[in-house]
Amino acid sequence: MHRLLKRQIRKYLSQEEQERFKDFLFVIDSAYAGFDTDIKQIENVLEKSSQELFNVNRELQISLESQKEEAKTASTRLKSIVENISEIIFQANVEGEWLYLNSAWTHITGFDLNDSIGINIFEFMHPSDIDLCKIKLKRLIDGEEVDCQGEVRFVTRNGSYKWCELLARVSINDSGIVTGLTGFIKDISTRKNLEKEKNLTIEKFKLIFEKSSVAYLIIKEARFIECNNACANLYGVDGKENLVGKYVKDFSPEYQPDGSKSSDKVVEMIRIAKENGYNKFDWVHKKADGTEFPVEVSLNPIQLSEGNILFVALNDLSERKRVESELILAKEKAEEATRAKALFLSTMSHEIRTPMNAVIGVTHLLSEDNPREDQLSNLNILKLSADNLMTLINDVLDFSKIEAGKVELESIDFNFRNFINNVAAGFHMKAKEENLDFIVEVDPKIPAHLMGDPTRLSQIVTNLCGNAIKFTDEGSVSLKVNFSSFKNDNIKLQFEISDTGIGIPADKKDQIFESFSQADSNTTRLYGGTGLGLAITGKLIELMNGTISVESELDKGTSFFVDVELKTSMKSAQQVNFNDDYFKECSKIEGLHVLVAEDNPMNVLIIKQFLKKWNVTYEVAKNGQSALDKIQEEDFDMVLMDLQMPIMDGYAASENIRKLEANKYKEIPIIAVTASAFNEIRGKVLAAGMNDFVTKPINPEELFLKLEKYAKHYN
Ligand code: ADP
């Protein structure tokens, strides 16, 4: 029996009643059992549903959680975007008061967000931009425009303004009512500043183009499309607007000075400009009135998006051409003046030297003609003064020639031993007169034959030896030639000229090489001289790429060192005894028979006297023609040939002698007698067939040495 029925029967029915209703209870019990089964079934269904409900609920909860999470992430992301975006995002009410601003507002304006919310947008706007912005916003709110866009200036915290771009739209609620504005504001100040700068630069370039004194123009398709006023002025057109649009060809003559057609040449010039990126050339243009004028044109092809143009700068050459022609004229004048100066110098050389020749010569003669003692001292003064004057003339001539860069060094073969011998010969005599020893030492390693300019080298050594003797009262003067090195046919020599004389103060050592400069202001009075000698010497050494230096001790003596490089000659060496005294005896030239070709009676007189003294016989010819005749009539050993003579000069006479048939005329030594100090004379003399020359005024030692040198041919 069902337990519930059992309990209730026990509670309400007695045992007899239970027996009595036994069948009925059985039926009830079956109903209970059926009911239990139903209940169990319902319970099962319920449990299943509850389980399902639970499951659904759980899933729902999970999905809700994840949706919540997603919403949170999205909101954070959005917030981060809004906060980090560089543009201002805003919301405002219809009055224009800020309702929302992101932090870009603070970045851009510097104002605090909390302080700004609730404040009207126009409070932050530049006064000049407010009105327009108000109109635009009104139209937006009134529904006339969908959005409002514009560039306005917002004030910043430091009081300056920033250009911003504003974009706004209206916010509408669910009922379709406008509740306010939403939008963003972008900082465009950098772009605006760049635009401003760009505009300024464009303005500047425009100004430069417009105001430049250089004529600029722009050509496109053979027309002037732009130009400045300088260009209009250059073409003689009134205002640039009258030039723009014109054709280029209208402003060029038909032909250019080189004969080419302007229209052809311009094509070529443009082609070169395109090839090289630019082209600069001279051009002849034509003004509006037809006058032609020279211009320097710079063509620069430029590629623009709207097509290619030529940017042209024109430089008026009229003034430069004028100055150029003036310069050419001035140069011609200067050259003419230089020629006149050279002519003057050579004339002066000749004109002064000829009378000086006479003065010196006659002085020599007089002093050798047994003068009285009082006459002798006067003659000595005369001789000294004349010598000084001659030196001065020579120095001035030489110096001006070197200064003018007219001195060209020769490179000829010469016998170095003979050279030293010749230079030394004069000084042996001079030193003897002054009671000084003159010592010559030449390094035997130096080859006998060298190549160089013996005349100029002699000038250098002579000058230094002359000074050494001049500034030495007692003791000795020495000329040493040291061999320094030898390389590739070049030989380095050092000339050392030392004396035991007055010395040079240390602070004057550099100064003495300057022109007209002497170590002591008393020098001229005590020793004579002009102060030009060392200047000339220094310059000649410089020309030879050599160097000069000086060592000196006051009252002890001076040494000059000259380092020069010469070339060795192919000729074989020749031994010379340096201790020979050439003036001991005249026997070496005694008995010579000389033809003296000289027109100046004074010179003739002087030469005659010397020759007589040395027992040399002579014959005089008064011009070149007479010399040519005489040489064929008599047998001479030598000819002394003056260069400037009437009828036939010395050059022509010498050339003619050399042309004569017999062999002896080809060999007979002809020595030129010349008043000119210039080097080129030497070349001319040799070219005319003469062997050597002596300079006027005739120095007896020099003449003697030359006669002796060539007499050797006959001994
Ligand atoms: P000059 O001899 O005509 O005066 P230089 O140019 O030859 O001119 O010499 C310049 C100066 O250098 C001389 O005046 C002299 O003061 C000084 N000088 C040159 N050589 C010597 C020397 N050997 N000893 C002393 N002084 C010298």
Side-chain angles (χ1 to χ4, degrees):
M1 186 176 283
H2 194 277
R3 56 184 166 85
L4 273 180
L5 185 63
K6 217 187 220 173
R7 215 181 296 153
Q8 282 162 341
I9 289 170
R10 247 187 252 139
K11 201 172 170 187
Y12 297 108
L13 292 180
S14 63
Q15 200 65 33
E16 289 158 69
E17 286 170 327
Q18 282 179 25
E19 267 305 313
R20 207 191 322 155
F21 299 112
K22 194 178 161 190
D23 292 338
F24 176 68
L25 286 175
F26 181 74
V27 174
I28 291 174
D29 184 44
S30 306
Y32 259 91
F35 186 69
D36 256 9
T37 316
D38 286 350
I39 290 279
K40 212 155 209 140
Q41 231 170 354
I42 290 168
E43 265 180 9
N44 276 347
V45 170
L46 266 178
E47 200 182 308
K48 217 174 150 192
S49 306
S50 147
Q51 189 59 45
E52 274 173 12
L53 210 64
F54 176 78
N55 286 346
V56 169
N57 199 21
R58 250 187 74 190
E59 272 170 25
L60 213 67
Q61 226 169 4
I62 291 170
S63 126
L64 206 69
E65 284 294 318
S66 90
Q67 272 181 19
K68 252 167 93 183
E69 198 56 42
E70 266 175 30
K72 204 175 151 195
T73 318
S75 150
T76 318
R77 196 178 293 145
L78 211 65
K79 206 171 164 198
S80 143
I81 292 171
V82 168
E83 286 312 306
N84 289 307
I85 204 162
S86 56
E87 282 86 20
I88 300 166
I89 294 175
F90 71 85
Q91 277 185 320
N93 60 20
V94 278
E95 273 77 42
E97 288 160 1
W98 294 130
L99 296 177
Y100 170 79
L101 286 163
N102 64 346
S103 46
W105 171 257
T106 309
H107 289 144
I108 293 174
T109 64
F111 292 116
D112 193 82
L113 284 179
N114 295 332
D115 296 346
S116 308
I117 300 292
I119 306 219
N120 197 292
I121 180 171
F122 299 113
E123 300 268 324
F124 296 96
M125 216 174 267
H126 191 283
S128 318
D129 299 338
I130 294 173
D131 288 347
L132 185 65
C133 193
K134 271 185 178 169
I135 294 169
K136 282 190 172 183
L137 286 179
K138 188 171 179 305
R139 269 200 219 136
L140 191 66
I141 291 166
D142 292 350
E144 289 170 28
E145 301 278 349
V146 191
D147 54 28
C148 152
Q149 195 168 6
E151 289 177 357
V152 288
R153 280 159 289 179
F154 280 102
V155 72
T156 65
R157 208 169 162 204
N158 63 20
S160 65
Y161 284 91
K162 265 187 183 170
W163 272 105
C164 293
E165 191 181 327
L166 178 96
L167 182 75
R169 282 193 174 167
V170 282
S171 328
I172 300 168
N173 67 9
D174 294 344
S175 330
I177 296 172
V178 174
T179 54
L181 300 163
T182 312
F184 75 87
I185 297 164
K186 188 179 173 186
D187 180 1
I188 55 164
S189 51
T190 316
R191 194 190 84 201
K192 277 278 176 185
N193 285 342
L194 279 175
E195 259 174 32
K196 203 171 147 191
E197 266 175 38
K198 194 174 140 199
N199 288 342
L200 265 174
T201 314
I202 292 172
E203 195 60 29
K204 258 190 245 165
F205 276 120
K206 225 172 150 186
L207 261 176
I208 293 169
F209 184 85
E210 291 290 338
K211 303 281 172 207
S212 171
S213 57
V214 178
Y216 290 127
L217 66 95
I218 295 170
I219 299 174
K220 192 176 180 185
E221 286 153 13
R223 274 173 188 251
F224 299 136
I225 58 161
E226 187 57 84
C227 75
N228 60 2
N229 281 329
C231 183
N233 289 344
L234 191 67
Y235 286 116
V237 174
D238 202 12
K240 63 174 198 165
E241 50 288 349
N242 290 320
L243 197 62
V244 172
K246 295 267 165 66
Y247 279 95
V248 181
K249 67 173 168 43
D250 297 336
F251 291 87
S252 286
E254 198 178 346
Y255 292 96
Q256 288 299 306
D258 62 1
S260 57
K261 241 183 153 185
S262 295
S263 52
D264 295 340
K265 199 173 176 184
V266 82
V267 174
E268 176 62 8
M269 294 296 113
I270 293 174
R271 188 193 63 74
I272 295 173
K274 283 185 178 159
E275 205 171 282
N276 300 342
Y278 83 99
N279 189 9
K280 205 175 206 179
F281 54 92
D282 286 1
W283 190 260
V284 169
H285 269 298
K286 196 172 71 178
K287 288 189 191 245
D289 65 2
T291 337
E292 292 181 7
F293 63 102
V295 185
E296 184 190 59
V297 180
S298 298
L299 271 192
N300 301 278
I302 296 172
Q303 286 183 349
L304 298 177
S305 48
E306 63 264 29
N308 295 347
I309 58 162
L310 283 170
F311 176 67
V312 186
L314 301 172
N315 191 4
D316 189 359
L317 295 181
S318 313
E319 181 62 13
R320 204 173 86 191
K321 293 267 179 205
R322 190 186 62 74
V323 172
E324 261 172 25
S325 57
E326 270 177 17
L327 274 178
I328 291 170
L329 216 70
K331 187 174 158 257
E332 276 168 7
K333 271 190 187 161
E335 279 169 358
E336 204 176 301
T338 313
R339 273 199 297 277
K341 190 178 149 198
L343 192 71
F344 169 75
L345 284 179
S346 80
T347 314
M348 196 173 94
S349 127
H350 188 254
E351 294 303 319
I352 300 179
R353 277 156 175 268
T354 305
M356 280 309 292
N357 183 19
V359 172
I360 293 171
V362 171
T363 317
H364 269 295
L365 288 177
L366 288 176
S367 52
E368 285 180 14
D369 223 10
N370 289 332
R372 292 197 314 270
E373 208 156 300
D374 58 323
Q375 283 174 330
L376 189 66
S377 81
N378 284 345
L379 280 172
N380 280 341
I381 294 168
L382 186 62
K383 188 168 174 282
L384 199 73
S385 307
D387 278 343
N388 280 346
L389 189 55
M390 204 62 200
T391 313
L392 176 64
I393 293 164
N394 287 342
D395 282 356
V396 169
L397 285 174
D398 237 10
F399 190 72
S400 50
K401 227 183 147 205
I402 297 174
E403 282 281 86
K406 290 258 165 111
V407 171
E408 271 178 30
L409 293 180
E410 283 185 313
S411 182
I412 54 165
D413 258 310
F414 68 101
N415 183 321
F416 186 69
R417 305 289 166 88
N418 283 351
F419 162 81
I420 289 292
N421 221 3
N422 285 348
V423 174
F427 291 111
H428 276 299
M429 298 254 297
K430 229 179 200 161
K432 215 175 204 171
E433 280 168 22
E434 304 284 333
N435 261 335
L436 298 171
D437 287 331
F438 188 73
I439 305 150
V440 181
E441 278 175 29
V442 176
D443 192 323
K445 286 200 288 295
I446 299 170
H449 286 273
L450 295 176
M451 299 255 292
D453 190 332
T455 316
R456 292 306 182 178
L457 202 57
S458 149
Q459 204 174 343
I460 293 166
V461 180
T462 305
N463 199 6
L464 294 172
C465 289
N467 273 353
I469 290 181
K470 186 162 80 171
F471 294 109
T472 305
D473 297 329
E474 56 183 41
S476 65
V477 168
S478 68
L479 164 64
K480 288 184 194 163
V481 194
N482 306 317
F483 172 88
S484 328
S485 70
F486 187 76
K487 198 178 156 195
N488 303 340
D489 292 346
N490 285 341
I491 180 162
K492 278 189 180 169
L493 298 182
Q494 185 182 63
F495 293 84
E496 181 187 335
I497 297 100
S498 301
D499 63 58
T500 54
I502 59 169
I504 302 166
D507 60 330
K508 297 281 162 43
K509 274 188 200 161
D510 292 331
Q511 200 180 302
I512 54 169
F513 293 102
E514 285 163 24
S515 52
F516 302 105
S517 172
Q518 297 181 317
D520 195 309
S521 51
N522 280 336
T523 310
T524 307
R525 188 169 49 79
L526 295 174
Y527 301 96
T530 56
L532 268 178
L534 280 183
I536 294 171
T537 304
K539 281 190 187 293
L540 288 176
I541 295 169
E542 204 179 295
L543 276 179
M544 290 183 183
N545 292 326
T547 54
I548 181 164
S549 59
V550 60
E551 284 174 13
S552 184
E553 207 176 324
L554 224 48
D555 298 327
K556 289 261 166 65
T558 306
S559 292
F560 281 93
F561 300 91
V562 177
D563 288 279
V564 283
E565 199 169 294
L566 299 175
K567 284 203 178 319
T568 47
S569 158
M570 297 305 283
K571 287 190 184 168
S572 60
Q574 188 183 325
Q575 292 298 317
V576 168
N577 181 0
F578 289 99
N579 296 322
D580 268 359
D581 186 346
Y582 278 81
F583 299 97
K584 266 190 180 152
E585 42 176 338
C586 305
S587 59
K588 287 177 186 164
I589 60 168
E590 252 174 20
L592 284 181
H593 189 47
V594 176
L595 173 60
V596 180
E598 170 67 80
D599 65 317
N600 185 312
M602 194 51 76
N603 285 344
V604 174
L605 181 74
I606 291 157
I607 294 172
K608 267 164 53 176
Q609 294 294 333
F610 290 135
L611 295 182
K612 254 193 229 160
K613 220 169 147 324
W614 299 327
N615 291 331
V616 171
T617 54
Y618 54 84
E619 193 63 46
V620 177
K622 288 193 176 154
N623 58 56
Q625 184 57 55
S626 149
L628 186 63
D629 296 340
K630 285 207 158 124
I631 204 163
Q632 296 176 76
E633 288 160 13
E634 267 182 60
D635 202 15
F636 293 103
D637 297 321
M638 221 176 281
V639 183
L640 286 178
M641 183 74 82
D642 183 28
L643 294 178
Q644 274 141 344
M645 286 183 292
I647 304 174
M648 184 189 284
D649 68 12
Y651 299 108
S654 305
E655 277 166 11
N656 286 328
I657 292 173
R658 293 298 183 217
K659 277 187 211 153
L660 291 173
E661 281 253 329
N663 258 353
K664 63 173 183 176
Y665 298 120
K666 311 258 183 286
E667 285 166 7
I668 184 165
I670 307 177
I671 297 167
V673 184
T674 166
S676 177
F678 294 153
N679 221 1
E680 53 264 31
I681 298 292
R682 187 192 170 104
K684 273 177 83 180
V685 160
L686 297 180
M690 289 175 261
N691 303 63
D692 209 332
F693 65 90
V694 290
T695 47
K696 288 190 216 171
I698 299 211
N699 172 320
E701 286 95 40
E702 192 192 355
L703 181 61
F704 181 91
L705 282 170
K706 289 283 156 79
L707 290 180
E708 192 217 20
K709 179 176 169 186
Y710 291 95
K712 280 182 188 161
H713 289 261
Y714 295 90
N715 292 338

